[in-house]
Amino acid sequence: QVQLVESGGGLVQPGGSLRLFCATSGFFLDYYNIGWFRQAPGKEREGVSCISRRSKDIRFAESVKGRFTISRDNFQNTVWLQMNSLEPEDTAVYYCARQSVLSDYCDINPGEYDYWGQGTQVTVSS
């Protein structure tokens, strides 16, 4: 059974930092690209970042470029997202997901992902 579980969300002031973790199980992580997505109330789910299976391809949404970083540890079956210089506009539920197609290139489109975690809330507010 494929599982992805996010953790690390919480309340942070503007300009602060958070690190989100995605723990995976039920599949061989080495083969799969992983993406991070977010959804704010009343808005559609949007791609934030993705990382390929060998970490050779990494992509970011323009809104977070330069502020967020993504990395993975296939041995520990974990992917994480480091978020710095957070803004109120970053407030959302954040999800990690597994890309359905085996590829050396990741895709930031949510439609390309087949299994999703339950999400973790990130709130940026003073």
Side-chain angles (χ1 to χ4, degrees):
Q1 57 195 108
V2 174
Q3 289 186 324
L4 301 94
V5 180
E6 304 93 338
S7 62
L11 175 64
V12 64
Q13 293 184 344
S17 298
L18 282 175
R19 184 179 297 166
L20 306 183
F21 297 89
C22 178
T24 72
S25 61
F27 65 99
F28 192 27
L29 183 60
D30 294 30
Y31 290 171
Y32 287 91
N33 304 330
I34 301 295
W36 282 97
F37 306 85
R38 66 187 182 187
Q39 187 166 22
K43 303 183 70 175
E44 294 187 358
R45 189 167 300 183
E46 64 175 348
V48 176
S49 181
C50 66
I51 184 169
S52 69
R53 52 195 179 184
R54 291 286 192 174
S55 301
K56 299 299 184 182
D57 189 31
I58 294 175
R59 303 172 189 245
F60 295 97
E62 287 296 326
S63 59
V64 307
K65 193 171 297 182
R67 299 188 296 121
F68 291 9
T69 59
I70 189 171
S71 57
R72 64 190 291 161
D73 187 333
N74 292 343
F75 181 75
Q76 295 189 5
N77 297 314
T78 301
V79 180
W80 61 96
L81 181 71
Q82 178 68 46
M83 306 185 296
N84 301 317
S85 301
L86 285 164
E87 305 167 353
E89 293 75 19
D90 297 316
T91 296
V93 177
Y94 283 71
Y95 302 87
C96 63
R98 187 186 79 172
Q99 189 171 337
S100 60
V101 176
L102 302 179
S103 174
D104 289 329
Y105 303 94
C106 71
D107 197 315
I108 208 168
N109 181 3
E112 299 297 322
Y113 291 77
D114 55 2
Y115 288 93
W116 295 75
Q118 80 291 335
T120 185
Q121 177 70 47
V122 172
T123 303
V124 185
S125 176
S126 59

